Amino acid sequence: FLLKMKNNLTIYSNIIPIEILKNNFLSFPQNLPKYYKNIPRLFNRSETSTTIKTCPGFVNYFRKVLVFTSPFDMEFLISNNKLEQWAMGNGDFNNLMSVTTHSNSQLLDYVQNDNYQFVIKICMFNYIQSDAPLYFHNASWEFKNWECLPGVIHPKDIPTDLNMFLPVRKETDKIVIKKDEPLFYMSFETQDDIELHFSNKKFDLTSHTNTLSYKFSILKDRILGKKIV
């Protein structure tokens, strides 16, 4: 018989207690949008009047993804195309978290862009290590007035910090994200099961030389092979 393989996904946290952070990584069925339970199977008496509850594409998506929810309330105040003020909770985490704005010289200046002011990077000092490549998706099924940029990483040998990139639309002057609100979805490039672990071990990027703590760029070391040939 074939031995079913498992891939490990390990979460570390330097700031938020790991017992609290466990509640922010949701798998099926806890990861389904809150409105899902209110949707009937049919929207009238006819068996042809099915709702999204009968859609394999929707249900299978949440069976395959891990949802990361916000550990705290977050607020971002925007004025004159700049991030004017931000807060995590009542502000106790402000000096512990890392919130920066990406210079538009890094991206938006080269995009045919009439919709966005700048990109906010949020680093929560949670670290993630995964045997399988990780895909990050916008939490589109939440239908929020903000979004998260997608990406792919494979932190197999060295854990990497879990970041969120938030593009700010031009008409936006405030973004509020509530505690336990889904921030983004995570999926995995593997057919094997994923085993989720949480570690109390503190992680320091400076303990590994093959990181941005020591290099201008780690693209050469972290680039993945093409999937479509």
Side-chain angles (χ1 to χ4, degrees), residues 91-103:
D92 288 349
F93 285 102
N94 282 18
N95 294 328
L96 302 174
M97 301 297 150
S98 174
V99 175
T100 57
T101 56
H102 264 209
S103 167

Side-chain angles (χ1 to χ4, degrees), residues 150-162:
V152 181
I153 60 172
H154 190 194
K156 182 177 181 180
D157 300 319
I158 303 173
T160 190
D161 41 349
L162 194 58

Side-chain angles (χ1 to χ4, degrees), residues 42-93:
L42 304 175
F43 59 82
N44 63 37
R45 293 176 58 194
S46 171
E47 287 296 321
T48 63
S49 65
T50 55
T51 67
I52 201 167
K53 270 200 169 173
T54 68
C55 175
F58 180 89
V59 176
N60 284 335
Y61 186 79
F62 285 95
R63 291 178 69 89
K64 296 293 185 181
V65 301
L66 189 65
V67 175
F68 180 58
T69 65
S70 182
F72 27 60
D73 292 338
M74 293 191 282
E75 180 183 64
F76 305 93
L77 301 181
I78 294 99
S79 179
N80 297 319
N81 293 323
K82 292 190 297 185
L83 179 60
E84 188 176 76
Q85 183 179 324
W86 59 273
M88 306 287 191
N90 69 357
D92 288 349
F93 285 102

Side-chain angles (χ1 to χ4, degrees), residues 43-204:
F43 59 82
N44 63 37
R45 293 176 58 194
S46 171
E47 287 296 321
T48 63
S49 65
T50 55
T51 67
I52 201 167
K53 270 200 169 173
T54 68
C55 175
F58 180 89
V59 176
N60 284 335
Y61 186 79
F62 285 95
R63 291 178 69 89
K64 296 293 185 181
V65 301
L66 189 65
V67 175
F68 180 58
T69 65
S70 182
F72 27 60
D73 292 338
M74 293 191 282
E75 180 183 64
F76 305 93
L77 301 181
I78 294 99
S79 179
N80 297 319
N81 293 323
K82 292 190 297 185
L83 179 60
E84 188 176 76
Q85 183 179 324
W86 59 273
M88 306 287 191
N90 69 357
D92 288 349
F93 285 102
N94 282 18
N95 294 328
L96 302 174
M97 301 297 150
S98 174
V99 175
T100 57
T101 56
H102 264 209
S103 167
N104 287 348
S105 299
Q106 293 181 280
L107 173 64
L108 289 183
D109 284 350
Y110 308 97
V111 178
Q112 290 184 340
N113 164 54
D114 293 320
N115 299 317
Y116 297 96
Q117 303 180 58
F118 53 85
V119 177
I120 297 173
K121 178 182 179 182
I122 307 167
C123 177
M124 300 181 188
F125 294 104
N126 306 325
Y127 296 89
I128 192 164
Q129 189 168 18
S130 175
D131 289 338
L134 280 165
Y135 291 72
F136 294 86
H137 314 265
N138 179 47
S140 302
W141 288 107
E142 297 296 325
F143 299 98
K144 299 297 182 182
N145 60 358
W146 53 267
E147 60 200 287
C148 175
L149 294 174
V152 181
I153 60 172
H154 190 194
K156 182 177 181 180
D157 300 319
I158 303 173
T160 190
D161 41 349
L162 194 58
N163 299 323
M164 176 179 174
F165 295 89
L166 190 70
V168 179
R169 290 186 175 271
K170 287 194 173 178
E171 68 274 12
T172 301
D173 60 4
K174 181 166 75 170
I175 297 173
V176 175
I177 300 173
K178 303 297 289 185
K179 183 181 182 299
D180 298 324
E181 193 172 320
L183 295 179
F184 50 80
Y185 305 148
M186 302 161 60
S187 62
F188 307 86
E189 191 181 298
T190 179
Q191 293 299 313
D192 299 325
D193 291 342
I194 301 294
E195 194 166 276
L196 184 58
H197 305 274
F198 294 89
S199 174
N200 284 306
K201 179 183 176 182
K202 301 300 181 185
F203 182 73
D204 181 7

